[in-house]
Amino acid sequence: MAQSSNSRSQGKAADAEPRRPPPVAEVSRTAREQLSELLNQPAETVSACARNEDGGWRLTVEVLELRRVPDTMSLLASYEVDVDPDGYLVGHRRTHRYERGRADRR
């Protein structure tokens, strides 16, 4: 069945609208889930999130690498995660390892 010219022009107008980036909460949740699956370790939280010039994101995600008893002795790591403008993880690197019960020295 042929499409009317009116419905074709409406489709083109919808295609021309700029796509909205995903909300930061969704980017954080998705990045945490993707990193957890990639590392096969639980990603606990996102401790930093910033937008890049290219529209992507750079996040810092805290990952539980080794569970110990007591929990304050568990080994965690900070990962720097790069996410594209669509919210998909495109790179990661571990930047820091630490015991849960230890504060950063400043």
Side-chain angles (χ1 to χ4, degrees), residues 1-99:
M1 180 171 176
Q3 219 179 16
S4 73
S5 62
N6 189 25
S7 63
R8 276 190 297 234
S9 63
Q10 287 174 352
K12 288 181 183 178
D15 292 342
E17 291 179 22
R19 209 179 66 205
R20 292 188 61 185
V24 69
E26 183 180 325
V27 170
S28 294
R29 182 177 46 258
T30 303
R32 202 174 62 239
E33 290 169 357
Q34 290 177 40
L35 185 64
S36 181
E37 184 177 337
L38 182 65
L39 299 175
N40 197 29
Q41 300 287 354
E44 294 197 341
T45 190
V46 173
S47 58
C49 181
R51 193 84 189 246
N52 292 335
E53 291 176 9
D54 67 356
W57 300 86
R58 175 158 291 169
L59 299 93
T60 302
V61 180
E62 308 305 319
V63 175
L64 177 61
E65 291 197 331
L66 181 61
R67 188 178 310 274
R68 291 185 179 158
V69 176
D71 192 47
T72 56
M73 298 302 293
S74 292
L75 190 61
L76 289 103
S78 297
Y79 282 82
E80 191 172 86
V81 175
D82 292 315
V83 176
D84 71 13
D86 295 321
Y88 294 99
L89 190 143
V90 294
H92 74 283
R93 70 183 183 99
R94 184 171 58 200
T95 59
H96 181 67
R97 291 179 88 183
Y98 59 97
E99 289 177 337

